[in-house]
Amino acid sequence: MFEIDVLTIFPELFGPFLETAFVGHARRGGAAAIRTHDLRDWATDRHRSVDDQPYGGGPGMVMTPEPLVPAIEALAGPKGPSRSAHVICLTPQGRRLDQARLEALAGAGGPLLLVCGRYEGIDQRVLDVAVDEELSIGDYVLSGGELPAMVLIEGLARLLPGVLGNPASIETESFRGGDLLEGPQYTRPPIYRGLEVPEVLRSGDHAAIDEWRHHQAIARTRERRPDLLDPDADS
Ligand code: SAM
């Protein structure tokens, strides 16, 4: 079972997400155990504070080392080879999450502790003393790490054995192997607003269909994401 703990000041954001679709299926089927924890449970003052003003001035607040470090250490142990979970902080300054990283994390089998930032971010010393990896979901800034954590969880859940009804769908998807987008897909009706499903897909000739799909994948990748075909080319 793949175990994921999430540390957040908004555990309520995860409710329906953890019950629904493949993530809910993974939990109910025993492929994953996902628990949320309210960071404020580790706060020691009566306001349950988790943030303070930034040194050097500037807008907004910064998440303080306490209660964050004690919370991380309670859930994953102290940083080092014997800690019980790999600690990932979601931050726009992290390495960009991609399918290869998801597959590596799924293959490693967990457990993971996901740390969700809020406010203007997290005191650097938390990252230095308690976090193993920083991951970003893209070059844009959200208000918190909860949605990025859900992105990571959903991307992982569908890779766990027994979660997808048809595991073959993973094999043909975009980014599988890292270099091709999936080509166009069609379902019924055969003609919609004058647009016809390509004849080959209705032919029943599976070799021809495979070849057509492969060519479509290359053409679509060349058109939309040429950087995937030639990572050294200027984008
Ligand atoms: N001041 C920070 C900066 O400039 O890098 C941004 C802080 S952001 C407003 C607050 C929190 O949202 C971050 O600590 C992080 O947990 C989360 N977050 C925002 N954008 C994200 C992204 N693209 N990927 C992962 N986490 C993100």
Side-chain angles (χ1 to χ4, degrees):
M1 175 176 308
F2 200 105
E3 295 191 50
I4 303 176
D5 288 282
V6 182
L7 191 56
T8 168
I9 60 169
F10 293 123
E12 64 273 23
L13 280 177
F14 289 81
F17 169 73
L18 292 179
E19 300 300 326
T20 309
F22 286 119
V23 174
H25 179 57
R27 296 177 71 222
R28 287 188 295 276
I34 305 169
R35 298 169 287 262
T36 57
H37 305 271
D38 188 344
L39 173 62
R40 293 191 195 279
D41 290 347
W42 279 269
T44 50
D45 66 331
R46 69 188 173 93
H47 299 295
R48 310 213 318 145
S49 310
V50 297
D51 60 307
D52 206 337
Q53 293 173 346
Y55 272 116
M61 304 292 271
V62 174
M63 295 182 86
T64 46
E66 301 233 345
L68 206 34
V69 171
I72 293 171
E73 290 182 346
L75 293 167
K79 188 169 177 173
S82 60
R83 87 179 333 178
S84 59
H86 182 64
V87 179
I88 296 176
C89 180
L90 286 311
T91 158
Q93 302 189 14
R95 168 183 163 176
R96 185 116 47 100
L97 181 64
D98 58 18
Q99 192 64 25
R101 187 66 195 127
L102 278 177
E103 285 171 17
L105 287 170
L112 298 179
L113 171 61
L114 308 183
V115 180
C116 305
R118 277 274 157 180
Y119 311 106
E120 284 305 309
I122 295 176
D123 187 303
Q124 179 60 41
R125 292 162 297 179
V126 177
L127 304 169
D128 293 342
V129 304
V131 168
D132 299 312
E133 180 174 4
E134 297 177 39
L135 284 178
S136 164
I137 62 162
D139 290 346
Y140 44 86
V141 178
L142 303 174
S143 298
E146 288 77 13
L147 288 172
M150 290 185 219
V151 167
L152 180 51
I153 291 169
E154 182 154 309
L156 277 173
R158 62 200 312 286
L159 295 176
L160 300 179
V163 172
L164 286 196
N166 180 2
S169 62
I170 294 178
E171 299 299 327
T172 60
E173 275 173 332
S174 299
F175 308 115
R176 184 72 180 180
D179 59 357
L180 286 183
L181 301 178
E182 193 173 37
Q185 303 198 81
Y186 298 88
T187 183
R188 285 185 286 188
I191 302 175
Y192 181 72
R193 296 196 175 181
L195 298 174
E196 204 166 334
V197 174
E199 179 65 36
V200 63
L201 295 179
R202 292 179 283 158
S203 68
D205 180 342
H206 292 290
I209 291 171
D210 285 349
E211 194 183 335
W212 182 86
R213 284 185 168 149
H214 185 61
H215 282 117
Q216 291 293 319
I218 292 171
R220 179 162 281 199
T221 308
R222 187 171 291 131
E223 178 196 327
R224 299 186 183 191
R225 291 292 306 275
D227 57 301
L228 293 176
L229 294 171
D230 184 1
D232 297 328
D234 288 342
S235 50

